[in-house]
Amino acid sequence: MRVAAERISYLHEREIEKMMKDIRYRFRPDQPEQADLVRRAITMVRRGAISSYRYSQDDGEVLAQLNDRASEFVRFSFGDQALSCTCGTKDRCEHQLAVVFDLYSQFNSLTEWYQDWRTSEKEELAVKITERTPDAWDAALANVTAPLRKLTPAVNSSVFTYECAEIENRVRPLMPFEYEWKPLFNLYYRLHLLDAAWAYISDVLDAGHSQHAYGTWQVTTWLNDQIADIERLAGTFGSKPKLFETDPFMNRLKTLVYSVCVRHSGQFAYRFRIYEAVWGQLFSGRDEREEEKRRLAEDGSEEAKLLSMYFAIIEGRGDILEGALSAEQAPDFGSWMMLAKFARESALMPTAGAIARGLYPSVGSYFSRQTSRSEQLAAAQQIDALLDSGDFTDEEYETVYSMYGKIGISRYSRFLAERERYMEWAALLHRFAVPFDSVDAEEMKEVLAHQPDAAMPLLHDYAQQFIADKNRMSYRRAVKLFKRMRTACKRSGRNDFWNRYIRSVREKHRRLRALVEEMERGNLEL
């Protein structure tokens, strides 16, 4: 017969309590799969997935129907503490747990039970952490961050940030009490967090995946915050006197950084920041760095080869960089650009120039792979920074600008103006019909000052375009251009030419009364 859950819970309170104890000790919160199963079961209870109970007092069992994503039936025999489900799972499933949790929640707080259950994990982890060994720290932090390893690119970024916040709450009680140990532990934690989350992060930030713009921004912001924390913590710990007890932790830290930066792929710029933050601030000894260089050389992976360039840069070994680039048939342009940027920021311009010279032949193929306008603009910005790092000829610059097409007009025009090639500057703007409002005002001012003949035809075209709009505001803009042309002609001593020109314009448009009025008000003749 159909019976309310409250009635069943009242009749079998002791048996339900016994089953809850069994669940408490069978399922461990430090096991990600088990913790996830309990969490899903509690969610089903809160969603009201259990639609009805059929109770048999003679058999001492209840049959519960669940209508969540699929309809299932769960049988709970109170006498022999047996559970079964139609979903076919041999062991305890989320449906079975949901029925027990629902019955328990009729007269008890399921939330409090869940918090107590979660607390038991923190207590056990805290005991492990108090051992204060690298193995204990690694084991505890790997357990806490394990849920992030299961995330797929399809998971919403808000779920990801929620999981990270939950992990943060679980780690906080594990923090060492002593102030001098806190930065090191926090550094361990951040690296473990990134190690566990990297597969998800890399997939979301990869251009091939269709995560919405807000999700990409959310993950990028989170990642930048974590790396900023690592940079700050490494600086804090590196500036303080070291305890003898921290030596084993420092050795393990090298392995942890290696795991994050070399064992993973994708998003090299972020991994390089992590590697540079730790090695640049914590490990400056010659023997340590030589050992790390040997380790990278023995690894042989592409990631290890790229990161080994860090040491070549800080040692000013441009020959190593050029040799590595020449050996690459298709170098990873974005990664090498990051290395060149690091060299520039470290005031190692010769090294940055060596990278730029080695990458120049790959510029065309790299830019051609960018399809959308936003990708092309970002790539052009990178390539510009590359060109600024090296010593390139004007011909090489022009080759790159011609490759850009329309998105490179502003760069090419600035290049021509800087080299006082004013006629070519004007021809470029004519060729691509660049609107007046898109022309750089400083460049126009410079051309008018140094070679007005180059700018006059261009300004004439712009003035005619304004006149063609046939409204008083446009006429005023045309008159302003005429005034600039008049000033240029006056400076070059071409008063007669200017007067003939402005009269012919007035005669051509004599029927446009508003334009004629604005021209007369402007007193355009010399």
Side-chain angles (χ1 to χ4, degrees):
M1 62 178 175
R2 291 183 182 272
V3 180
E6 295 92 332
R7 177 66 177 168
I8 300 170
S9 180
Y10 173 76
L11 292 172
H12 296 279
E13 182 178 1
R14 184 180 302 172
E15 291 89 343
I16 294 169
E17 286 277 3
K18 186 177 179 181
M19 180 59 75
M20 289 295 289
K21 288 181 180 178
D22 178 72
I23 292 172
R24 183 184 185 91
Y25 294 111
R26 177 179 293 197
F27 292 88
R28 303 303 308 154
D30 57 345
Q31 299 297 319
E33 292 183 0
Q34 295 180 7
D36 188 51
L37 186 67
V38 172
R39 187 162 52 246
R40 293 203 308 271
I42 291 175
T43 301
M44 290 176 68
V45 173
R46 289 171 176 165
R47 282 204 301 258
I50 302 171
S51 58
S52 66
Y53 287 98
R54 288 183 176 274
Y55 175 62
S56 172
Q57 189 170 3
D58 295 335
D59 297 331
E61 63 181 28
V62 66
L63 183 67
Q65 182 177 1
L66 293 86
N67 292 312
D68 193 39
R69 292 181 176 82
S71 182
E72 304 290 353
F73 291 89
V74 173
R75 190 177 300 278
F76 184 3
S77 178
F78 298 107
D80 54 8
Q81 292 283 287
L83 284 163
S84 61
C85 179
T86 56
C87 72
T89 303
K90 294 180 181 180
D91 205 353
R92 292 278 188 264
C93 65
E94 59 193 72
H95 310 106
Q96 297 173 16
L97 297 186
V99 170
V100 178
F101 290 157
D102 186 57
L103 294 173
Y104 176 80
S105 67
Q106 302 307 313
F107 295 101
N108 299 277
S109 171
L110 186 59
T111 300
E112 287 183 8
W113 179 90
Y114 181 62
Q115 292 300 329
D116 289 342
W117 180 72
R118 291 283 298 274
T119 302
S120 67
E121 175 204 12
K122 294 178 182 178
E123 292 171 352
E124 289 186 8
L125 287 175
V127 171
K128 293 179 181 178
I129 287 292
T130 55
E131 296 176 15
R132 194 161 293 173
T133 64
D135 289 336
W137 282 16
D138 281 344
L141 292 173
N143 258 330
V144 173
T145 58
L148 299 180
R149 298 184 184 277
K150 298 174 62 179
L151 299 180
T152 64
V155 172
N156 190 281
S157 59
S158 296
V159 175
F160 167 73
T161 54
Y162 171 78
E163 286 286 354
C164 292
E166 284 289 294
I167 290 170
E168 189 88 21
N169 292 333
R170 294 164 67 189
V171 165
R172 196 173 292 116
L174 309 179
M175 191 74 67
F177 178 74
E178 300 88 347
Y179 177 77
E180 58 269 19
W181 284 91
K182 286 184 178 181
L184 183 58
F185 180 83
N186 212 341
L187 186 57
Y188 260 67
Y189 162 57
R190 299 294 166 190
L191 290 169
H192 270 283
L193 193 67
L194 288 172
D195 189 40
W198 197 265
Y200 175 81
I201 294 169
S202 183
D203 281 334
V204 169
L205 299 186
D206 181 53
H209 289 281
S210 56
Q211 181 79 244
H212 56 81
Y214 175 74
T216 303
W217 171 84
Q218 203 172 20
V219 172
T220 302
T221 302
W222 180 89
L223 180 56
N224 280 319
D225 288 345
Q226 300 305 315
I227 297 176
D229 282 342
I230 289 174
E231 292 169 339
R232 175 181 55 81
L233 290 164
T236 300
F237 188 72
S239 63
K240 296 183 178 299
K242 305 297 183 297
L243 300 173
F244 175 76
E245 294 91 337
T246 62
D247 288 348
F249 291 89
M250 297 298 287
N251 289 330
R252 182 64 61 85
L253 190 62
K254 297 174 191 174
T255 302
L256 189 54
V257 172
Y258 196 89
S259 177
V260 174
C261 299
V262 181
R263 298 302 180 202
H264 291 292
S265 59
Q267 303 302 318
F268 176 79
Y270 292 110
R271 288 186 289 117
F272 185 83
R273 280 180 61 192
I274 298 167
Y275 195 81
E276 192 275 329
V278 175
W279 276 94
Q281 299 184 83
L282 294 180
F283 305 113
S284 57
R286 181 177 178 181
D287 292 342
E288 290 176 317
R289 292 187 170 183
E290 288 298 325
E291 182 182 353
E292 179 70 5
K293 286 159 64 176
R294 284 194 296 271
R295 185 180 186 181
L296 291 167
E298 291 170 0
D299 187 296
S301 66
E302 289 301 318
E303 308 299 327
K305 289 179 183 177
L306 279 170
L307 282 170
S308 67
M309 295 300 106
Y310 164 75
F311 297 102
I313 291 172
I314 62 176
E315 293 168 5
R317 295 293 305 276
D319 56 325
I320 294 177
L321 292 160
E322 290 179 1
L325 270 172
S326 61
E328 295 276 352
Q329 292 185 349
D332 185 340
F333 195 91
S335 300
W336 280 96
M337 272 300 306
M338 179 63 199
L339 296 174
K341 179 182 177 183
F342 171 67
R344 288 198 308 274
E345 291 174 350
S346 303
L348 301 170
M349 290 306 295
T351 305
I355 298 175
R357 176 54 62 187
L359 275 182
Y360 182 81
S362 305
V363 166
S365 60
Y366 172 69
F367 187 81
S368 64
R369 291 195 297 270
Q370 316 308 315
T371 53
S372 68
R373 178 177 174 80
S374 60
E375 289 176 345
Q376 289 176 345
L377 287 170
Q381 191 172 8
Q382 284 186 318
I383 295 169
D384 288 346
L386 176 76
L387 296 177
D388 290 340
S389 302
D391 184 18
F392 295 96
T393 65
D394 286 358
E395 290 75 14
E396 288 171 322
Y397 272 101
E398 291 187 78
T399 300
V400 173
Y401 293 142
S402 63
M403 175 187 65
Y404 286 164
K406 285 188 176 181
I407 68 165
I409 292 173
S410 61
R411 294 172 170 82
Y412 196 15
S413 67
R414 183 169 60 250
F415 168 84
L416 293 172
E418 287 173 352
R419 284 153 180 79
E420 300 182 0
R421 293 161 59 179
Y422 300 124
M423 294 301 292
E424 294 174 68
W425 176 87
L428 175 71
L429 301 186
H430 272 298
R431 177 187 174 189
F432 289 98
V434 177
F436 175 76
D437 292 331
S438 298
V439 178
D440 187 278
E442 290 300 319
E443 291 177 13
M444 178 64 77
K445 183 178 179 181
E446 180 184 347
V447 175
L448 281 171
H450 292 88
Q451 193 174 349
D453 287 350
M456 293 289 280
L458 193 61
L459 290 176
H460 170 77
D461 284 350
Y462 288 138
Q464 295 304 312
Q465 290 172 21
F466 288 142
I467 292 171
D469 290 340
K470 293 186 177 181
N471 61 75
R472 190 170 288 271
M473 185 60 68
S474 294
Y475 295 156
R476 289 174 180 171
R477 296 192 71 185
V479 169
K480 285 183 179 180
L481 291 185
F482 289 141
K483 287 182 177 180
R484 296 184 71 177
M485 295 167 70
R486 180 191 63 185
T487 301
C489 287
K490 184 177 181 180
R491 286 177 179 174
S492 59
R494 302 176 65 187
N495 294 12
D496 292 341
F497 164 78
W498 171 251
N499 289 333
R500 288 195 303 273
Y501 168 78
I502 203 65
R503 289 167 189 163
S504 66
V505 171
R506 186 186 296 112
E507 178 63 23
K508 179 180 179 181
H509 300 291
R510 64 182 183 278
R511 295 186 179 181
L512 300 176
R513 188 177 62 181
L515 173 63
V516 173
E517 288 176 1
E518 293 297 331
M519 292 180 71
E520 289 177 352
R521 189 177 298 147
N523 191 24
L524 295 176
E525 290 193 30
L526 290 171

